[in-house]
Amino acid sequence: MVSSVEGVSLSDLSILLIEPSDTQRKIIVKQLKEQGIIDLAEAKSKTQALEIMNTHPRDLIASSMYFEDGSAIDLLNEIRNHDALSDTPFMLVSSEIKRESLEAYKQAGVVAILPKPFESSHLKAALKNTVDILNVEEMDLELFDVNDIRVLLVDDSNLARKHIKKVLNNLGLIKVTEAADGQEAINILNDQMFDLVVTDYNMPEVDGRELAQFIRTSSGQSHLPILMVTSESNDTHLANIKQDGVDALCDKPFETQYVKKLLFQLLDHD
């Protein structure tokens, strides 16, 4: 398995592909090899996949949504609760298009959701995002020491927080305080000072929009940059979010380089 150090390239990636259909598996294997992937293992079921990962951990799991012995979300939850495997990037490859069926994967911090069939450019982008997540590349800011930036990360999904925190840490943002919802974030903001807030939108009690309103109108930190990382797709909701003081929006799943670009814009300006 490639460790999280500088210099990891796309051809270095070791991948586990989980696909119950022999035909689909052959098609995806061919496309992965066309992208330069050499180290590639295959599985048909959740049980077989876990056996492979426990024996030989991989840099990326590319998985279909359903198997005879479970689903990809079952597998993903087991991986995330396994100490040695919990940070493994996970990519879903599925013909499913229903938003409610895909929401759990978005909230779990997958690196990409690819349709069946997918274009080679989409696969390449997902693999590149995996490389970016594995590599450690601190941001070089003019106005801040990136290691000193205090971040409040707010998301009701523990899996999403873990994924986003890993990305932030790899960019050099190591002072990250976590909150499980907007109300907990408000309580923390009343006691601590921060330089940046990264928040989800859909949360119980106090959602991301209400949190942004509190920061802008009722906190002692009304200047705080707010980055919202959300799976919300309703244009009206997104427009309202912008009006309530959110500085930047980013989709789930997100590309690391795009998040890095947004953070530069939020943090490295006069």
Side-chain angles (χ1 to χ4, degrees):
M1 181 177 182
V2 176
S3 59
S4 297
V5 295
E6 293 185 20
V8 175
S9 66
L10 196 148
S11 61
D12 293 324
L13 288 178
S14 61
I15 297 178
L16 171 60
L17 172 63
I18 313 164
E19 171 55 66
S21 165
D22 291 340
T23 300
Q24 287 291 326
R25 201 167 60 255
K26 288 177 182 178
I27 291 172
I28 298 173
V29 165
K30 181 177 183 292
Q31 291 174 301
L32 286 168
K33 289 182 176 179
E34 288 174 351
Q35 294 296 332
I37 303 301
I38 301 170
D39 189 350
L40 182 60
E42 302 173 38
K44 293 184 177 183
S45 67
K46 179 168 73 77
T47 301
Q48 188 179 9
L50 288 170
E51 289 175 353
I52 291 172
M53 289 297 293
N54 281 314
T55 303
H56 183 188
R58 303 280 163 160
D59 297 312
L60 171 67
I61 297 173
S63 177
S64 178
M65 182 175 281
Y66 299 111
F67 333 110
E68 288 186 357
D69 56 351
S71 68
I73 199 65
D74 299 329
L75 174 62
L76 181 53
N77 283 325
E78 289 197 43
I79 293 292
R80 292 292 181 254
N81 289 316
H82 190 298
D83 289 341
L85 305 176
S86 61
D87 288 339
T88 307
F90 197 102
M91 176 172 68
L92 181 69
V93 184
S94 173
S95 56
E96 180 61 70
I97 59 173
K98 292 181 181 177
R99 186 177 183 275
E100 58 271 23
S101 299
L102 298 174
E103 184 66 19
Y105 296 93
K106 293 181 178 182
Q107 296 297 341
V110 296
V111 297
I113 299 176
L114 297 186
K116 288 182 180 177
F118 53 78
E119 296 180 9
S120 60
S121 60
H122 295 156
L123 177 59
K124 184 175 183 178
L127 296 175
K128 177 63 168 60
N129 192 33
T130 301
V131 170
D132 290 337
I133 290 171
L134 293 172
N135 283 328
V136 176
E137 185 181 356
E138 288 193 0
M139 298 172 63
D140 184 15
L141 301 174
E142 292 184 9
L143 303 180
F144 290 93
D145 181 339
V146 68
N147 298 146
D148 290 336
I149 294 174
R150 300 159 298 179
V151 182
L152 178 59
L153 172 59
V154 192
D155 200 306
D156 60 315
S157 166
N158 181 56
L159 296 182
R161 289 201 311 275
K162 187 169 186 177
H163 175 63
I164 297 170
K165 184 177 180 180
K166 177 179 175 60
V167 171
L168 294 174
N169 288 168
N170 281 1
L171 294 175
L173 298 157
I174 57 177
K175 293 185 177 180
V176 180
T177 300
E178 298 181 43
D181 57 48
Q183 184 57 57
E184 184 179 355
I186 288 172
N187 296 338
I188 293 172
L189 285 163
N190 285 331
D191 293 328
Q192 299 180 45
M193 300 296 290
F194 292 92
D195 302 300
L196 172 69
V197 173
V198 180
T199 182
D200 188 22
Y201 172 63
N202 289 306
M203 296 182 291
E205 292 194 53
V206 176
D207 64 23
R209 182 185 176 192
E210 293 166 329
L211 174 59
Q213 290 174 332
F214 168 81
I215 292 172
R216 294 292 180 247
T217 64
S218 304
S219 76
Q221 307 180 61
S222 59
H223 63 286
L224 268 178
I226 302 173
L227 169 60
M228 185 168 286
V229 183
T230 177
S231 59
E232 178 62 54
S233 60
N234 185 296
D235 290 341
T236 301
H237 287 174
L238 293 176
N240 290 335
I241 289 167
K242 278 284 192 178
Q243 291 176 359
D244 288 317
V246 172
D247 297 287
L249 289 168
C250 185
D251 293 334
K252 290 181 180 179
F254 57 79
E255 294 184 1
T256 301
Q257 289 302 318
Y258 183 61
V259 170
K260 184 177 180 180
K261 177 182 177 181
L262 291 177
L263 291 175
F264 268 118
Q265 293 172 355
L266 294 177
L267 298 171
D268 216 24
H269 62 81
D270 293 318

